[in-house]
Amino acid sequence: MEGESCTYRPNSTPDSPDSVRITLGTPRDNHRSTNNTVSGQSRRGSRGGVRRRFLLFERASGSWWDPKFDSRHLEEELQRCQLPATRRQFRYALCYIATACLVWIIYFAAVGATNQQANYQNWPAFVGGSVVFLVICMVLLGLTFTKLYQRFFSYMSLLLTVALFSVSLAAVGFSEGSIISSVGAFMICVEILIMLYTVIPMPLYLSVVSGIMYSVGFQIIVGVTNEVLGQELSLPVQIITKILMHLCIHLVGIHIYIMTQVRKHSTFWKVGQSILARRDLENEKQLKEKMIHSIMPPHVASSLMKGAEDEPETPKRMRSPRNKKKANLPPKESMFRTFNMHRMENVSILFADIVGFTQMSNNKSAEQLVSLLNDLFGRFDRLAEKTGCEKISTLGDCYYCVAGCPKARPDHAECCIEMGLGMITAIK
C-alpha cells in the first residue's frame, strides 16, 4: 500500500484549499507529503486571495454593520430575552433627557430674566421648546410601561432620535452663540451622538446614517449662525478639523455599539449552551436512575445513587512522555467504586422452573414464547410485591426471588411459601 493516496474535499471544488490529503505509506513519506500539501495549500490560499470571514461572535451572520445571529430563530429569541433590559435602558435614557430638559428650562428662564439684551429676548421660545420636548419624553416613558413598547420600540426609538435632532439643532440655530455658547453647542452634539450609539436601541446602520446626517446638519447650522467661531483658522483647516472630530466621535460610538452587541450575543449563546448541557445531564441522570432502579431493589439502588453523588471526583493525572507506564496507571481510589457488602443471617431463597418448558418451546414460535414468558413473569413480579419478596433475576424459564433481603424480616420463610403457592396458582 505504499504510495497510495486519496484526497477528501468536504463540500469544496477540486481546487479548494480545504481539501485534506491522506497518504498511505511510510511515516517519513507521510510527513514529507503532509508538509508539501500544507505548504502548497498555504501558498495557493495566499496567492488565490481566499477570504475568510471574521466572525464577531459564535454563530454570527458575518455582517459587522448589523451584528446578529445567522439564525432567525436565535435572533428572535435573543430579542425576546433582551427586551426587559432594552426597555430598562430606554427608560434610563428618557429619564436622563427629561432631567436635562428641566435643567434647560431653569437655565433659559434664569438667563432670559437676568439679561435684557436683544440676543436674549427669544428665551421664551427656548423654554417652550424644552417643555414640549419634556412632554414628549414623558409620553414615551409612559408607553414603555405598556405592551405597545414591545411591538413598536423601534418606532419609539426613531421618534426620540428625530425629536432630539430637531430640538438640539433648533436650539443651536436660534441661539446664535448667545444663550448657548459654541462649546456648549458642541458638547450637546457629542452627547446626543454618544446616546445615539449607546442607549437608544436602533440598528447600527440606521444609527450611523442618522448620526452622519446630524453631524453635517449641526456643522452647517453652526457655520451659518456663528460667524465669529474659527476666524483665526483658514476654511480648509476648519473643515478638516471638524471632520476629524466628528469622525472620532462616530468611531468611538460604533466601537461601543459593536462591543455591546458582541457581549450580548456571546453571553446569550454561552448561557444557552450551558442550559442545554445541564438539561442533557439531567436527562442522562434520570435515565441512569431508571436503569439502576429497574435492575436493583429500591433500597440498594437508593444507597448506590447516594454513594455516587457523595463520592468526590478524582482529578485526572497529567501524563508525561518520560514515565508512560506510571502515567497510564490509574489511581487506586478510582479503579473501582465503593462496594458495600452486608451479611444477612436469616434469608429464604425461592428458585422456580417451569416443568416441560423445553418441550413446550418446540411447539411455539419465538414471538409466542416471549409473549408467554412476559405475561407469566409479570404475574410473578406483582405477586412478589404482594408477598414481600424481592426479585433477583430471570434466566430463560427460571425465576429467582428472595425474602428477608435486603430488608430483614422474621417471616421470610412464610413469604417464600406464599410466593410459591401463588406462582402455582398463577401458572394454572
Side-chain angles (χ1 to χ4, degrees), residues 106-121:
I106 298 173
Y107 170 75
F108 292 145
V111 170
T114 56
N115 293 276
Q116 301 299 327
Q117 301 178 7
N119 294 334
Y120 296 94
Q121 296 302 320

Side-chain angles (χ1 to χ4, degrees), residues 248-317:
C248 292
I249 296 170
H250 285 282
L251 289 178
V252 171
I254 292 172
H255 175 75
I256 295 174
Y257 184 96
I258 292 178
M259 290 298 102
T260 303
Q261 295 298 322
V262 168
R263 184 175 66 253
K264 287 182 180 179
H265 287 75
S266 300
T267 303
F268 177 80
W269 177 258
K270 292 178 182 178
V271 171
Q273 291 297 314
S274 63
I275 292 175
L276 292 177
R278 185 178 301 176
R279 188 180 64 181
D280 293 340
L281 288 176
E282 291 293 333
N283 294 336
E284 293 294 333
K285 183 179 179 180
Q286 293 178 3
L287 179 61
K288 183 178 69 173
E289 291 179 356
K290 289 181 180 179
M291 293 178 62
I292 291 177
H293 282 283
S294 64
I295 62 177
M296 291 185 179
H299 178 72
V300 178
S302 300
S303 61
L304 181 62
M305 294 299 299
K306 183 178 180 182
E309 293 178 357
D310 297 340
E311 183 180 358
E313 295 183 358
T314 55
K316 296 181 180 180
R317 291 188 174 182

Side-chain angles (χ1 to χ4, degrees), residues 154-413:
S154 300
Y155 297 101
M156 293 183 185
S157 301
L158 186 60
L159 176 62
L160 179 62
T161 303
V162 173
L164 271 174
F165 290 173
S166 303
V167 172
S168 60
L169 292 178
V172 172
F174 285 104
S175 67
E176 297 179 355
S178 57
I179 297 181
I180 301 177
S181 63
S182 58
V183 177
F186 183 73
M187 292 308 300
I188 292 175
C189 175
V190 173
E191 189 175 8
I192 290 177
L193 290 177
I194 295 299
M195 290 178 58
L196 179 66
Y197 288 107
T198 54
V199 295
I200 300 179
M202 287 197 308
L204 180 59
Y205 63 90
L206 188 58
S207 300
V208 172
V209 172
S210 58
I212 292 175
M213 293 175 60
Y214 177 72
S215 296
V216 173
F218 175 81
Q219 288 304 140
I220 291 176
I221 292 176
V222 170
V224 172
T225 59
N226 196 346
E227 299 177 355
V228 181
L229 181 65
Q231 288 184 355
E232 66 275 4
L233 299 176
S234 60
L235 182 61
V237 175
Q238 293 184 35
I239 294 176
I240 294 175
T241 303
K242 293 176 182 179
I243 290 176
L244 290 178
M245 286 192 300
H246 284 274
L247 180 62
C248 292
I249 296 170
H250 285 282
L251 289 178
V252 171
I254 292 172
H255 175 75
I256 295 174
Y257 184 96
I258 292 178
M259 290 298 102
T260 303
Q261 295 298 322
V262 168
R263 184 175 66 253
K264 287 182 180 179
H265 287 75
S266 300
T267 303
F268 177 80
W269 177 258
K270 292 178 182 178
V271 171
Q273 291 297 314
S274 63
I275 292 175
L276 292 177
R278 185 178 301 176
R279 188 180 64 181
D280 293 340
L281 288 176
E282 291 293 333
N283 294 336
E284 293 294 333
K285 183 179 179 180
Q286 293 178 3
L287 179 61
K288 183 178 69 173
E289 291 179 356
K290 289 181 180 179
M291 293 178 62
I292 291 177
H293 282 283
S294 64
I295 62 177
M296 291 185 179
H299 178 72
V300 178
S302 300
S303 61
L304 181 62
M305 294 299 299
K306 183 178 180 182
E309 293 178 357
D310 297 340
E311 183 180 358
E313 295 183 358
T314 55
K316 296 181 180 180
R317 291 188 174 182
M318 299 295 292
R319 296 183 179 182
S320 59
R322 298 181 180 178
N323 301 325
K324 292 184 178 180
K325 295 183 179 180
K326 295 182 179 180
N328 292 332
L329 291 177
K332 294 181 180 179
E333 60 271 16
S334 64
M335 291 179 63
F336 303 101
R337 288 185 177 272
T338 304
F339 188 77
N340 298 323
M341 299 180 64
H342 302 279
R343 182 180 179 86
M344 309 298 294
E345 295 292 342
N346 299 320
V347 175
S348 296
I349 302 174
L350 176 64
F351 172 82
D353 192 5
I354 302 177
V355 180
F357 177 77
T358 305
Q359 183 179 1
M360 182 179 61
S361 62
N362 294 330
N363 301 328
K364 296 183 179 296
S365 63
E367 296 180 357
Q368 295 176 350
L369 192 62
V370 171
S371 178
L372 177 63
L373 290 177
N374 184 42
D375 179 68
L376 188 60
F377 288 160
R379 298 180 184 180
F380 292 168
D381 292 341
R382 291 189 292 270
L383 185 61
E385 294 180 0
K386 187 182 299 184
T387 57
C389 295
E390 187 68 41
K391 175 184 175 183
I392 301 300
S393 177
T394 57
L395 180 61
D397 62 325
C398 300
Y399 191 91
Y400 303 88
C401 65
V402 62
C405 179
K407 293 182 179 181
R409 53 187 305 168
D411 58 342
H412 54 89

Side-chain angles (χ1 to χ4, degrees), residues 129-141:
S130 300
V131 171
V132 172
F133 191 36
L134 178 61
V135 172
I136 294 175
C137 292
M138 291 295 101
V139 172
L140 291 177
L141 183 61

